Amino acid sequence: MLWVAVTVVGLGFLIALEIASRRYGARGPITDQAREVIFAPRSGTVLYASMALMMVVLTWRQRFIALGAAVGIDVVFWLVRWAVGAEMMFGNGALWVTLACGVIAVTRRTGRDRVLLLKGVGLALLLVAGRKTGYAWLLITSKTRPRVLDQYVATADHALGNPSWLAGRIVAATGTVGAHILEWVYIQLAVAAVAVALYQLRHVAVERRFPGHHLVRTFLVIGLLGPGIYMIFPVVGPVFAYGADGGHWAVADLWPDTPPPVGTPQRMPFDEITPRNCMPSLHTAWATAIFIHALKGPWVLRFAGAFWLIATLGATLGFGYHYGADIIAGVVFTLTIDMALRSLDCGWDRSAKRFVVYGAAVFTAFLASYRYLSTEMAAHPWVFGPLLMLATASVVYGYARIIRLSELTAVPAHLPEPRREQQHEPQHEPV
C-alpha cells in the first residue's frame, strides 16, 4: 500500500509539472521522457546508470542479457541516426530494457519476484524522472520568480570571506585542465551516486529485498524538497548576478576579480531564462549525501566520495554557480534529511527527533539571517562568520555522534546462538 500511495502521489506530481511546463511553452517531464524512447536522450549516461540500479534485482546471467540487449538496441539506433543525419546520442537501449523489465514483471512474474522486479524498475525510473522534474522545476523558477535575492546573499557572504570570488580565481589559475576536471565531476554527479548505491544494494538479488535506508532515498528526497526552497528564496548565483554571464541584468561585471561592495541590498529583477537554483546548493547537498553514504564502504569508495565532495565544492564555487552561504545551507539541508529518512527505518529515538528539529531550525535561521541580517553580517564578519561555521559544525557533529552511537548499540545481524547445556534425564537403577 505504501508503494501504491507513493506511485499515485508521484504520478500526480508529474502531471502537475507537465501542465505547468506546457503553460510556459515547454515540454514537461512526462513528454520529455516519452520522447527518449525514440529520439536522442539528453543524457545516455543517466539512462545506463538508472538501468544499473534496476539490475541489482537480477541474477548475473540476467544482467549480462539485459546489458547486451541495451547495447545492441543502441547500436541499431546509432546506425539509423547516422544514416539519416539525426542527432547522435546513446541511451535508448537502456530505457527500452528498463521498460521491458517492467512489462516482464507484470506479465511473467508473480508474488515476491514480481514485487522485487517492479521495485527495481521503479527505482530506475525514479532516477530518470527526478532528472526530468528537475528541468521542469528550473523552468518554473525562472518564469515565476522575476526578482532574485542575490544582493542579500552576496552581502551576507562577506561574513564568510566571499569564497566564490576566491575559488573563481583559483580555478582560473589552474587553466583548462582543472576546469575540465571540475566540470566533468559537476556534470556526472548522478553517476557517482549510482556507484555508491550499487555498493549498498549489492545483496538485493540474493536477499530478495531492499535495505531499509540507502543513498537513493536521500538523493531523491533532496531533489524533491530542494526546488521548493528555490521558490521561497530565489537566487541565480554570482556568475550571473555579478558576472559577464548575466549580461545587462547583472549588477556589474565583478566576478571573480572584485568582491561586491557592501551596500544596502534589495531585490533585483532578472531574466526569465536563468534558473533560480542556488539556495541551497543541491549539488553540494547531493555530494554530501554521496560522501556520508560512502563512508561505510571500502577505502576506494570512501576516497571517491571524499574526492567527489571536494571537487563538487570547488566546481560550485569556482564556476560562480553558488555563494558560500549556499554551500553551508546545503550541508545542513542534507544531514537533516538523511537523519529523518534513517529514523523512518530505524525508529525515532529522542536524539534523532532533537537533531531533525535542530537541523531544520539551523537551516531556517540561515535563510532568515541571509535575508534580514545580511548588512549586519557584512559589517561584523569576525562575529557572524564564526557563528555560521560553528552552527554548521554543530550539525555535522550531532549527525556524526548519533550515527556513531547507533552503530555501537546496534545488534549484529548474525549473533552466535548461546550454547545450550544438554539436560540429561535422571537415570534410575531398576529395582
Side-chain angles (χ1 to χ4, degrees), residues 94-156:
L95 182 58
W96 276 47
V97 168
T98 302
L99 295 175
C101 287
V103 174
I104 292 172
V106 174
T107 59
R108 304 291 299 275
R109 297 287 188 269
T110 58
R112 292 183 62 185
D113 289 339
R114 171 186 289 177
V115 172
L116 188 67
L117 185 53
L118 284 176
K119 285 183 178 181
V121 173
L123 199 63
L125 294 180
L126 274 175
L127 182 61
V128 177
R131 193 175 181 90
K132 299 301 180 184
T133 56
Y135 295 143
W137 264 119
L138 296 182
L139 172 68
I140 293 172
T141 61
S142 64
K143 298 295 184 181
T144 60
R145 293 297 180 265
R147 294 181 177 272
V148 297
L149 302 175
D150 281 78
Q151 292 187 26
Y152 292 92
V153 182
T155 303

